[in-house]
């Protein structure tokens, strides 16, 4: 399987976030390096490339999902913040301007103070903007769209992986949050539809297996019957939707996933996009599911039953001990390569 990756995705590195208290930033660059290392241990299964398609006009495609005012904010937020006297570490919201606090008349958002803007375009305290954040955000999208270009030449049941960060599925037209800034998968879906089939938007399915609900992705396509969004996520958890209970383990999860794959098969999309989060793992520091390392092999196998050209894009997953194997196992399970056997032969063969 081809894997696209770029070192600029490592640049976004805020020192902390606030989850009730100040904690080290969970969505850390080492997530990517660890996954890259795990994939490169299997050179026969994964071909990693950092040669990205520099001809893609990212702005053009971002604007299919996001507001230009918001893109303008992401690009200028850090410099404005610092020149207004803000801390050089990162743009960090300290006030969230509720609609009742905003001017009644039409106003130019650029005229708001940088503190007001930081809270206007962000919904939590997990998504600070550092000097290099915008560069990483663009790199993540370029990795994703380069991989999307590749998916067009794949056969049914083959896949390509966009190994990138920051993730995207929480990002809304004018809002960052949940470690997300630009909705990589949503932009890729529009890119695939419009660049491939300019005249008749072809059906696509997005399967979101991150622990969290990808509200940004869901809303982008809620009224669009050409894109089916299916998400398996934890109930009563951030940002609160329901499906699977907190104790969900491999069996229960795979049963629900099989249900999802049946729905997708009957929709019969041209391509499948997978929001690949492994924060469903039993040791994940912020999530409650109990998926095991071996469970991810099964998950990959179930996804392969959909038998479509498939674009995997990285979302969450915060247990640094297991993240490499978890991601590799989904992709190996999808490719019909059983890492358990490899492991066995490595240990005892
Ligand atoms: C892409 C992605 O996975 N973003 C997730 C962002 C989650 N941030 C909020 C974490 C809140 C943690 N609350 C712990 C509740 C445990 N049940
Ligand atoms: Zn998540």
């Amino acid at each position: 399987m081809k894997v696209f990756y770029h070192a600029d995705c490592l640049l976004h590195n805020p020192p902390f976030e606030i989850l009730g208290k100040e904690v080290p930033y969970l969505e850390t660059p080492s997530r990517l390096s660890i996954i890259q290392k795990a994939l490169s241990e299997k050179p026969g299964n994964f071909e990693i490339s950092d040669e990205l398609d520099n001809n893609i006009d990212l702005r053009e495609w971002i604007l299919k999902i996001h507001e230009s005012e918001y893109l303008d904010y992401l690009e200028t937020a850090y410099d404005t913040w610092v020149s207004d006297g803000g801390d050089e570490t990162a743009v960090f919201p300290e006030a969230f301007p509720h609609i009742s606090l905003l001017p009644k008349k039409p106003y130019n958002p650029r005229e708001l103070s940088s503190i007001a803007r930081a809270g206007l375009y962000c919904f939590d305290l997990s998504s600070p903007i550092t000097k290099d954040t915008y560069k990483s955000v663009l790199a993540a999208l370029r990795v994703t769209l380069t991989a999307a270009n590749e998916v067009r030449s794949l056969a049914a049941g083959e896949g390509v992986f966009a190994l990138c960060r920051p993730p995207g599925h929480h990002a809304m037209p004018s809002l960052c949050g949940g470690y997300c800034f630009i909705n990589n998968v949503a932009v890729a879906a529009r890119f695939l539809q419009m660049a491939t089939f300019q005249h008749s938007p072809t059906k696509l399915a997005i399967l979101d297996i991150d622990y969290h609900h990808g509200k940004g992705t869901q809303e982008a396509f809620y009224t669009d019957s050409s894109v089916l969004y299916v998400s398996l996520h934890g109930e009563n958890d951030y940002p609160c939707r329901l499906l699977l209970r907190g104790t969900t383990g491999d069996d229960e999860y795979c049963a629900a996933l099989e249900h999802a794959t049946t729905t997708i098969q009957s929709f019969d999309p041209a391509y499948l996009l997978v929001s690949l989060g492994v924060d469903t793992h039993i040791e994940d520091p912020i999530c409650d599911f109990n998926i095991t390392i071996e469970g991810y092999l099964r998950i990959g196998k179930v996804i392969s039953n959909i038998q479509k050209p498939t674009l995997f894009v990285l979302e969450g997953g915060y247990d640094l001990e297991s993240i490499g194997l978890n991601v590799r196992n989904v992709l190996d399970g999808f490719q019909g390569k059983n890492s358990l056997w490899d492991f066995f032969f490595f240990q005892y063969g």
Side-chain angles (χ1 to χ4, degrees):
M1 180 183 294
K2 252 195 159 168
V3 177
F4 289 95
Y5 167 84
H6 198 276
D8 281 358
C9 293
L10 304 173
L11 294 173
H12 170 62
N13 189 14
F16 66 89
E17 61 186 298
I18 295 179
L19 295 177
K21 58 181 190 245
E22 199 176 296
V23 295
Y25 202 61
L26 277 169
E27 199 285 284
T28 158
S30 48
R31 298 172 63 241
L32 275 203
S33 338
I34 292 169
I35 298 168
Q36 190 201 19
K37 184 163 174 287
L39 300 184
S40 56
E41 283 163 5
K42 296 277 209 73
N45 296 6
F46 302 100
E47 184 193 331
I48 306 177
S49 166
D50 63 359
E51 276 174 39
L52 304 186
D53 185 340
N54 288 315
N55 295 319
I56 301 170
D57 178 354
L58 297 181
R59 187 182 167 83
E60 175 192 348
W61 296 107
I62 291 171
L63 294 181
K64 306 285 181 212
I65 297 293
H66 297 275
E67 305 285 347
S68 65
E69 181 190 305
Y70 171 67
L71 188 58
D72 182 50
Y73 168 71
L74 289 182
E75 189 174 4
T76 59
Y78 181 81
D79 288 344
T80 321
W81 174 265
V82 171
S83 65
D84 283 357
D87 193 290
E88 287 184 16
T89 312
V91 178
F92 214 102
E94 63 182 57
F96 293 89
H98 184 263
I99 185 124
S100 62
L101 300 172
L102 287 167
K104 298 280 178 286
K105 281 192 228 135
Y107 61 94
N108 179 353
R110 278 203 167 212
E111 285 163 12
L112 295 174
S113 73
S114 47
I115 289 180
R117 271 158 51 98
L120 185 63
Y121 296 111
C122 187
F123 65 78
D124 68 2
L125 301 177
S126 288
S127 314
I129 297 174
T130 66
K131 189 173 184 357
D132 292 321
T133 297
Y134 192 61
K135 223 174 169 181
S136 277
V137 165
L138 293 186
L141 186 64
R142 194 170 292 285
V143 166
T144 304
L145 297 188
T146 301
N149 252 336
E150 200 74 21
V151 83
R152 296 186 211 168
S153 49
L154 297 182
E158 292 181 340
V160 56
F161 179 38
L163 173 55
C164 60
R165 68 179 278 282
H169 74 156
H170 295 302
M172 309 280 286
S174 286
L175 265 187
C176 61
Y179 312 135
C180 302
F181 300 88
I182 293 288
N183 197 317
N184 301 313
V185 164
V187 176
R190 282 293 180 236
F191 175 80
L192 271 173
Q193 279 192 315
M194 300 178 77
T196 321
F197 310 96
Q198 277 132 357
H199 302 298
S200 60
T202 283
K203 289 187 291 181
L204 299 181
I206 301 173
L207 172 63
D208 191 331
I209 61 167
D210 187 277
Y211 172 85
H212 303 95
H213 174 237
K215 185 171 190 290
T217 315
Q218 173 173 296
E219 291 211 353
F221 305 111
Y222 204 72
T223 58
D224 179 345
S225 58
S226 70
V227 180
L228 174 69
Y229 176 73
V230 181
S231 169
L232 277 69
H233 47 266
E235 68 174 335
N236 298 327
D237 204 331
Y238 173 100
C240 76
R241 285 273 307 186
L242 64 121
L243 194 59
L244 297 168
R245 59 206 172 90
T247 53
T248 296
D250 295 347
D251 289 340
E252 199 179 339
Y253 193 89
C254 285
L257 189 60
E258 271 167 31
H259 182 74
T261 59
T262 314
T263 309
I264 292 171
Q265 274 167 323
S266 38
F267 184 71
D268 192 28
Y271 303 116
L272 172 66
L273 290 77
V274 179
S275 265
L276 173 53
V278 293
D279 39 9
T280 46
H281 186 259
I282 185 162
E283 296 297 344
D284 195 276
I286 53 168
C287 303
D288 295 332
F289 284 179
N290 294 331
I291 305 301
T292 66
I293 288 177
E294 297 74 34
Y296 289 104
L297 278 174
R298 289 172 61 185
I299 288 171
K301 168 97 186 65
V302 176
I303 295 172
S304 76
N305 293 337
I306 299 173
Q307 280 295 306
K308 295 291 171 192
T310 302
L311 168 62
F312 290 90
V313 183
L314 187 67
E315 300 282 1
Y318 309 101
D319 175 45
L320 299 180
E321 290 284 314
S322 64
I323 188 173
L325 269 184
N326 294 342
V327 169
R328 189 173 88 191
N329 276 357
V330 173
L331 302 174
D332 268 345
F334 178 87
Q335 303 190 88
K337 316 236 183 202
N338 190 332
S339 304
L340 270 188
W341 280 106
D342 295 346
F343 178 73
F344 182 81
F345 285 121
F346 178 73
Q347 293 281 304
Y348 310 106

